Amino acid sequence: RYQKFRYPSFGFTYIGYNLADARFADVRIRRAFNLAIDKQAILNGVLFGLGAVATGPYPKESWAYDPSIAPPAPDAAAARRLLAEAGWEDRDGDGWLDKAGRPFSFTLLTNQGNEVRRQAAELIQRQLRDVGVDVKIRIIEWSTFVHEFIEKRQFDAVLLAWGLGRDPDLYDLFHSSKTRPGEYNFIGYANPAVDALLIEGRRTFDREARARIYHQVHR
């Protein structure tokens, strides 16, 4: 005899783009992918609706979450416009975007043994194909994945998840000082405004004041 409970995991699943790659360093590319990928379809198809579309690095159950932020609706046409602004267009009519004679193709890595991530990667692959981006999926054993790809920054993009602590301090994940090898900010995210907010949040003890700080981080 047993009881079954459903409860939200305190974390988020994400695509981590290697920001040392000039393609992903262009914010228009990341915004285009955000519009091209239908997150609700992934939730419905992979998690049977048991989840929520993330709008930032805090789950809805966190007091740092800003409820005023709404996720953008999927919009493939808008995604294509942003990609075109960044110079990626189908110049040879083969259905794939290209720039300077190079097709937009990248490999999305995830770890072996996680069926949810494998299925999500396949949906992402299909959705980005619809806007002319070729995504190759590679699934790698965990130890090799971490030591040979993550730690050495040998990846285009990864599909992973973070489980969060109850305190909303995300310094280790997103502060620019944490981009060194062996640190958690292995995607190379660096934003001076976020750096300052994360430090301010660590030095503030009043919860309401901290919530205002982390709402800015969320935005």
Side-chain angles (χ1 to χ4, degrees):
R1 287 188 283 265
Y2 65 92
Q3 289 180 291
K4 184 164 62 176
F5 296 89
R6 293 176 178 174
Y7 59 92
S9 64
F10 205 77
F12 59 87
T13 298
Y14 67 99
I15 300 175
Y17 303 106
N18 186 342
L19 298 180
D21 186 317
R23 295 172 298 177
F24 302 126
D26 188 333
V27 70
R28 292 172 296 186
I29 301 298
R30 305 197 303 275
R31 287 176 177 160
F33 286 7
N34 191 37
L35 291 167
I37 296 170
D38 186 343
K39 275 79 71 178
Q40 190 61 52
I42 294 172
L43 288 171
N44 294 342
V46 178
L47 295 179
F48 308 104
L50 297 176
V53 174
T55 60
Y58 298 115
K60 290 182 177 180
E61 294 74 25
S62 171
W63 51 265
Y65 176 85
D66 186 342
S68 71
I69 304 171
D75 190 335
R80 290 190 195 94
R81 287 194 295 271
L82 281 169
L83 289 161
E85 284 178 21
W88 293 95
E89 298 180 87
D90 181 11
R91 292 173 174 83
D92 54 11
D94 64 353
W96 301 108
L97 303 183
D98 57 84
K99 183 177 182 180
R102 176 188 177 195
F104 201 141
S105 177
F106 72 94
T107 300
L108 179 62
L109 303 182
T110 195
N111 60 292
Q112 195 175 67
N114 191 308
E115 187 64 13
V116 165
R117 290 180 198 166
R118 184 191 65 78
Q119 292 178 17
E122 290 176 354
L123 285 172
I124 290 164
Q125 179 186 53
R126 191 181 312 158
Q127 292 169 355
L128 290 182
R129 181 188 301 142
D130 290 342
V131 295
V133 176
D134 179 27
V135 180
K136 295 175 172 60
I137 299 169
R138 188 173 177 189
I139 299 173
I140 302 168
E141 183 273 329
W142 179 253
S143 179
T144 303
F145 180 71
V146 172
H147 297 301
E148 296 300 319
F149 294 90
I150 297 298
E151 290 181 357
K152 295 180 180 180
R153 311 282 172 87
Q154 297 298 315
F155 63 89
D156 298 329
V158 295
L159 181 62
L160 285 173
W162 284 118
L164 305 174
R166 293 289 158 168
D167 188 90
D169 178 14
L170 297 178
Y171 184 91
D172 284 339
L173 300 189
F174 292 110
H175 194 276
S176 63
S177 68
K178 295 297 183 176
T179 58
R180 298 184 295 267
E183 301 279 10
Y184 288 137
N185 186 1
F186 52 81
I187 61 171
Y189 180 80
N191 183 320
V194 172
D195 280 355
L197 288 165
L198 291 173
I199 291 170
E200 186 181 359
R202 284 189 146 193
R203 293 174 174 173
T204 304
F205 292 92
D206 179 77
R207 180 158 151 171
E208 289 187 7
R210 290 189 80 205
R212 289 192 292 271
I213 292 166
Y214 291 126
H215 283 180
Q216 292 182 69
V217 172
H218 191 153
R219 288 193 289 274

